[in-house]
Amino acid sequence: MGLRPVNLSLNEAQALAKKAAKGAGINWGAAHETGRAVRWLLEQGIDPFPGLLATLDAHLGWPEAELAPQRLDSELRGRHGILSGIMTGLSLADFGVDDQSNIQMHGVVGAELIAGFIALSMDSGLACLMTDGVCSMQFSRHACQRDRPQSWRTEITLSASALPSENEERFKRAHILPVHLEKLETFANRTYAPATDASRLAGAGSALSDND
């Protein structure tokens, strides 16, 4: 593959993220929501793929529950010191963050994914600020502003926030580096069952077809 980013529709990027998450061992429901969170980030002009790949790599080594917050309170930790951005985002979206003044998250991988999950669960008129002390994102369901869009640290604070200004544009395409696309497709390919002699014979164009 070359170095020029590959242009995908948002539907293609969402479907790829969903299938890649499933290929990393994440259940289909969570994988579906991962695709939606990735799409939301892309619409805000945020590249979610490095964080997504780091998170999927973490999931290869542990069951889902091991990477989820062990307790939902003001301090979130994973059982082994690692919090998946996917499992943490899902937990916070279900739990709600409206009445939490500050939530400290420790050992986070894929921090920007958390914003996607929470944003999609938020009511209009609510907003959050997520920061690691250097990078920050202020977001609502329909808008996002960020400062220093670089790699996130692993210690993250989430708090209620004033509403960010509406984005001047919503991005309608995804641009993904070839190396990231290749890795996501490798994860996605893990969802396919290995071919067997019976499945090959039953495939399209089989000589055993009785369509005559």
Side-chain angles (χ1 to χ4, degrees), residues 12-58:
E12 290 171 325
Q14 180 176 345
L16 178 59
K18 172 184 174 180
K19 189 163 285 189
K22 177 58 180 173
I26 295 168
N27 71 78
W28 272 119
H32 174 77
E33 294 304 317
T34 298
R36 294 182 66 232
V38 163
R39 184 188 184 111
W40 183 89
L41 289 164
L42 289 167
E43 289 175 343
Q44 315 308 316
I46 298 170
D47 180 2
F49 300 116
L52 175 61
L53 284 166
T55 306
L56 299 185
D57 282 337

Side-chain angles (χ1 to χ4, degrees), residues 69-89:
Q70 294 304 292
R71 202 171 50 207
L72 287 174
D73 54 25
S74 60
E75 296 273 340
L76 304 187
R77 289 182 170 85
R79 183 168 296 167
H80 304 282
I82 302 173
L83 280 175
S84 157
I86 293 173
M87 305 314 297
T88 304

Side-chain angles (χ1 to χ4, degrees), residues 15-26 28 31 53 55-63 181-195:
L16 178 59
K18 172 184 174 180
K19 189 163 285 189
K22 177 58 180 173
I26 295 168
W28 272 119
L53 284 166
T55 306
L56 299 185
D57 282 337
H59 273 270
L60 287 179
W62 301 102
L181 178 60
E182 183 176 17
K183 289 179 179 178
L184 286 173
E185 288 177 337
T186 298
F187 274 111
N189 288 338
R190 293 164 61 95
T191 64
Y192 299 121

